[in-house]
Amino acid sequence: MRLLHAERLEFEEFFDTQIPPYLILSHRWGEKEVSFKQMNKKRAEEGPGLTKIFKFCTLALEKRYTWVWIDTCCIDKKSSAELSEAINSMFKWYQSAEECIVYLSDVSLGDQDVGVQDFEARFSASSWFTRGWTLQELLAPRQLTFYDTDWKEIGGKDLLCRLISATTGINELFIARDSKPPLPVDSATVAIRMSWVARRKTSRSEDMAYSPLGLFDVNMPLLYGEGAEKAFVRLQTETIKKSDDETIFAWTANIGMSGMLATDPSFFAGAGAIQRAPAYGYGELRYWMTNKGLALQIPDSEWPADTSHKANTVIVIPIHIQSDSHLDLGIQLQCMNTRNIWCRTMCQSLMCVPKRTRVFSHSKKEDTSHVIYIPVSLRESYPAKVLMDRLKGQI
């Protein structure tokens, strides 16, 4: 990790246990930001970017911190390897900082006392709350303090917890709790975390998948140019490898058919309250990734009785999420062809099905379950005409 000395304005690299206490900055990028090369060679131009660094370092020294980390100049973005390592480590770096300073360049409290309503309106309107990268910068730090455009202290996230929650849609328990640390991010379901991401935006489309890596505790290489859909599908695929949380399938979208995974974070916009179901004898789904897509094991009790015309067969698979009614919620799948390739249909909503116990046999000889394959993304797997032909059972 490369840190900047707050007084000498010189860089030094530290590894693992050698890393000293440091202050970390969260901010929106603006005009004339200072790069690593410019800072390292003392060639930074006068401007808002350099002023921001000076002000932050001055604040660090006032708080008795020697070392600081700023994403604009502490990463050599000309090195793709270093950039990838930094993005994959970002959540940990913000989590390990002694304190995170959030600089809201578009919020001014002015010289006069600001009324409560006026203050809340100004604070909530900051673009900082809409950006993809600042999501983990809000949730990871142990201590976080906001400053306005004039570097006047606004307050900590514990004090502003209610307002931050109302602005971001994130439950207060994940932001701050009285005399207790906030709930760990991974205690929120995958669907809820995805709903937080759905409210954000990034300048580069792939960053909608790269910016929340730490929220899902996954690592993956950065492939700028792959496109937003591929990047987001990769994020979900990596998440599936580490988690059995079925709420990752609890997305909805105004499309007729799809692969098993969401192709855009906005598909989780309505998933902010989805919880995993308590164990009541209901077995969880069994699924794994293959070169044919997601393999899904379906017990005999959920398999349709009449599959004489396998192409176009429709089944509804319950997923392990809470429901307030006497019904379970599930997703509808339809067979696309005789080669056991299926797709998700009726994606506009989750389907209601009667509650029942899912039973898998522990004996291979007695196992009568069925395995089907669903591409993670139909657009990536099949050209449009082939896709329509297969859905119609013509192939």
Side-chain angles (χ1 to χ4, degrees):
M1 183 181 193
R2 182 183 293 115
L3 296 175
L4 179 68
H5 194 283
E7 187 172 11
R8 300 195 310 266
L9 299 179
E10 295 175 351
F11 293 112
E12 189 167 335
E13 292 199 33
F14 299 91
F15 298 94
D16 303 325
T17 57
Q18 299 175 340
I19 298 174
Y22 60 93
L23 200 65
I24 200 165
L25 180 67
S26 175
H27 64 116
R28 282 291 321 277
W29 281 42
E31 296 179 1
K32 294 188 175 181
E33 295 290 1
V34 179
S35 69
F36 164 70
K37 184 177 180 180
Q38 290 170 325
M39 197 71 186
N40 197 38
K41 293 189 175 183
K42 312 292 186 184
R43 293 179 180 173
E45 291 183 36
E46 293 288 339
L50 188 60
T51 301
K52 188 183 340 184
I53 293 174
F54 287 159
K55 293 280 190 179
F56 179 55
C57 288
T58 300
L59 179 62
L61 293 171
E62 290 173 359
K63 288 176 170 284
R64 300 185 183 279
Y65 291 107
T66 304
W67 298 98
V68 300
W69 190 89
I70 310 167
D71 60 352
T72 51
C73 64
C74 288
I75 306 171
D76 182 3
K77 297 172 187 66
K78 295 293 184 181
S79 167
S80 57
E82 182 172 328
L83 180 61
S84 182
E85 179 187 1
I87 289 177
N88 277 275
S89 305
M90 201 77 73
F91 189 91
K92 181 178 69 175
W93 289 350
Y94 276 89
Q95 194 173 48
S96 301
E98 297 297 311
E99 184 181 355
C100 176
I101 299 299
V102 178
Y103 176 60
L104 303 180
S105 60
D106 54 356
V107 175
S108 175
L109 299 184
D111 297 326
Q112 305 295 324
D113 289 337
V114 178
V116 173
Q117 288 187 332
D118 189 17
F119 162 72
E120 291 186 349
R122 294 186 194 186
F123 183 77
S124 300
S126 174
S127 61
W128 187 87
F129 292 108
T130 68
R131 308 308 298 176
W133 292 105
T134 58
L135 175 58
Q136 64 179 1
E137 294 166 15
L138 167 65
L139 295 170
R142 294 169 290 173
Q143 185 176 350
L144 181 146
T145 309
F146 291 91
Y147 285 76
D148 78 350
T149 187
D150 298 315
W151 290 91
K152 294 177 181 176
E153 183 174 338
I154 299 174
K157 68 175 179 178
D158 51 348
L159 179 67
L160 298 164
C161 180
R162 180 193 58 79
L163 183 55
I164 295 170
S165 176
T167 303
T168 62
I170 300 172
N171 190 299
E172 292 182 28
L173 296 177
F174 296 101
I175 300 169
R177 294 193 294 170
D178 292 340
S179 70
K180 295 180 181 178
L183 292 178
V185 170
D186 60 6
S187 64
T189 64
V190 169
I192 288 176
R193 281 174 274 168
M194 287 292 187
S195 75
W196 300 341
V197 177
R199 299 169 71 110
R200 303 281 170 148
K201 297 178 181 178
T202 57
S203 298
R204 300 189 70 167
S205 60
E206 293 93 345
D207 283 340
M208 284 298 291
Y210 302 156
S211 60
L213 289 179
L215 295 184
F216 301 97
D217 192 25
V218 299
N219 299 97
M220 65 185 202
L222 312 184
L223 303 174
Y224 285 109
E226 67 176 320
E229 181 176 320
K230 281 186 177 180
F232 189 58
V233 167
R234 279 205 300 132
L235 172 63
Q236 294 167 89
T237 301
E238 293 301 316
T239 302
I240 285 173
K241 292 177 183 177
K242 299 195 69 171
S243 170
D244 62 355
D245 185 346
E246 295 174 25
T247 67
I248 197 170
F249 306 125
W251 55 267
T252 56
N254 191 28
I255 52 178
M257 57 185 178
S258 172
M260 193 64 171
L261 302 182
T263 54
D264 190 274
S266 64
F267 291 5
F268 287 96
I274 289 183
Q275 302 286 352
R276 299 183 73 172
Y280 58 91
Y282 182 81
E284 295 181 346
L285 282 175
R286 292 181 179 177
Y287 53 90
W288 58 95
M289 296 304 304
T290 74
N291 60 357
K292 294 173 69 174
L294 188 87
L296 180 63
Q297 188 175 5
I298 302 173
D300 224 18
S301 59
E302 295 174 31
W303 192 250
D306 181 14
T307 55
S308 54
H309 301 287
K310 194 168 184 181
N312 296 327
T313 298
V314 173
I315 55 177
V316 177
I317 302 299
I319 51 181
H320 206 62
I321 61 177
Q322 278 188 4
S323 170
D324 294 331
S325 71
H326 63 285
L327 299 172
D328 276 326
L329 296 175
I331 54 176
Q332 180 170 294
L333 303 175
Q334 181 171 339
C335 188
M336 294 171 63
N337 56 35
T338 56
R339 292 189 294 175
N340 203 21
I341 303 296
W342 296 61
C343 68
R344 182 173 167 184
T345 55
M346 299 290 290
C347 303
Q348 294 87 346
S349 63
L350 299 177
M351 314 297 289
C352 293
V353 291
K355 285 189 182 291
R356 54 194 172 193
T357 300
R358 176 177 287 144
V359 179
F360 289 103
S361 172
H362 294 288
S363 167
K364 288 186 177 180
K365 290 183 179 179
E366 298 174 5
D367 187 10
T368 57
S369 61
H370 307 262
V371 176
I372 65 174
Y373 299 91
I374 310 126
V376 292
S377 168
L378 290 186
R379 194 178 303 172
E380 298 299 328
S381 302
Y382 302 104
K385 183 179 185 307
V386 173
L387 178 60
M388 292 305 300
D389 288 344
R390 292 194 175 195
L391 190 60
K392 295 174 182 175
Q394 296 177 5
I395 294 180

